[in-house]
Amino acid sequence: MSKLQNKNENETMEKIVSLCKRRGFVFPGSEIYGGLANSWSFGPYGVELKNNIKQLWWKKFVRERTDMVGIDGPILLHPGLWEASGHTAGFNDAMVDCKECQWRYRADHLIEQATGKDMEGKLVEMSAILKEEKVKCPNCKKSNWTEVKNFNMMFKTQMNGIADDVYLRPETAGAIFIEFKNILDSMRVKLPFGIAQIGKAFRNEIIAGNFIFRVREFEQMEIEYFINPKEKWEKIFEGWLLAQEEFAYALGADKSNLRRYEHPKEKLSHYSKKTVDIEYLFPFGWGELFGLANRTDFDLAQHGKFSQEKLSYFDQEENTRFIPHVLEPTFGLERSVVVALIAAYNEESVGAESRIVMKFPKELAPVKIAVFPLLKNKPELVEKAKEIFNTLKSDFSCEFDDNGNVGKRYRRQDEIGTPYCVTVDFDSLENGDVTVRDRDTMKQERVDIKKLNTYFNSKFN
Ligand code: GAP
């Protein structure tokens, strides 16, 4: 068995996108209507993979900790919240249009790609550079640009009974901050503690792309971790970075494909003391996977001011009231799915043949066990295989498969990353045992049917 592929080759992404469509992980959105730009639909295995990632995250960051609670807030939130957080005025990206072909670009990205200069946030200078350096439109190759303008990325909508515009939330964090008081009043929490949430966020990105890496509708897994401002936050910050890296490893990421990028001081938002991105080496280059910021007391202070509610914390031991500071670890779910797919993707030669095998960590595999009868047209084998499937399915995500021959079924299960395949053959009827085949080693062993549940419990726990 040999590895055929260098994971960082660009073609990896094309192969993964094609596998995702072929095998029911991710489909292009609204395809039968000709598609809707950069929207994607998660298919049967994609939704299992996504749910497994969410469950792993919730287990690690909520259930297994005593300092965390979870919420599930609404997507539509009071418009005042976005005034307070600064999103209405400042959640902008720099946009520029090509006057020749009308293609639209994110100006800072366009300039960085063409000149290597980092001009983020400097609209006037960006307009000048596009002209002076005659930056060419990647589509029509001409250089005739509009002025660079700010574009607010929030999706606007209307709501019955509300006069103001309402927005689809551009991040989940806002829904957490506004429940701070309810959590204090209902949950007997003591600092330091965190509130976690998984949910949809919407951003009208100027340019989306790279599969599901940058989309306009996505899910975030976010935590607001409240601390006493007197506390030594640097140590807690480092602890969260390590926890984020651990989570990336649990997705299958290799250490060598992860790095930290600390935002330079001059580029930090005025409220941030420190921001670090955890970046991953995607086949299209380094990109942000997760982020961590020390947002000080900015959010609670702003929401307190705009809502006129007291969003402070009373420390009984010290007999003082203050506004806690917050550390914000944030995780993108779609990007986590991309990492899990890239890290799992393997092409191997098996003798004269080759196979594609998705070596997901077992916990993340969409299907844990596939059960086959050796032959589809032998009712006694089919009946026994269904009986086994029925005994395993309540404990493990299982699939029954009697299509094609066993070799083809193995290839299909390898491509969706099923860790174990169980085959019922004629010996099974005689001896009460089955063949269990391991995805990674392809080794097969006979296991007593009566002991299958125990056998798989030991493999998955
Ligand atoms: N509350 C902080 C916040 O939203 P962010 O860096 O803008 O921070 C957090 O977003 C995470 O959400 C990113 O690290 C990334 O994983 C994910 N994310 C952001 N924009 C995205 C997009 N357009 N498509 C997919 N994921 C995105």
Side-chain angles (χ1 to χ4, degrees), residues 24 267 278:
K267 286 189 126 198
I278 306 279

Side-chain angles (χ1 to χ4, degrees), residues 9-38:
E9 283 170 10
N10 240 342
E11 68 192 42
T12 310
M13 214 56 221
E14 275 167 40
K15 289 180 178 176
I16 286 171
V17 175
S18 146
L19 178 134
C20 280
K21 173 139 199 248
R22 190 172 72 246
R23 290 299 186 203
F25 281 91
V26 184
F27 306 125
S30 308
E31 201 179 16
I32 63 165
Y33 283 96
L36 180 70
N38 293 297

Side-chain angles (χ1 to χ4, degrees), residues 171 173 203 205 212-215 218 220 222 288-291 328 330-332 335:
E171 59 174 19
R203 293 184 188 177
E205 298 279 358
I212 52 173
F213 176 84
R214 191 178 300 283
V215 275
F218 56 99
Q220 291 182 319
E222 293 202 295
E288 179 186 341
L289 173 61
F290 309 142
E328 183 185 71
T330 176
F331 304 67
R335 292 183 190 182

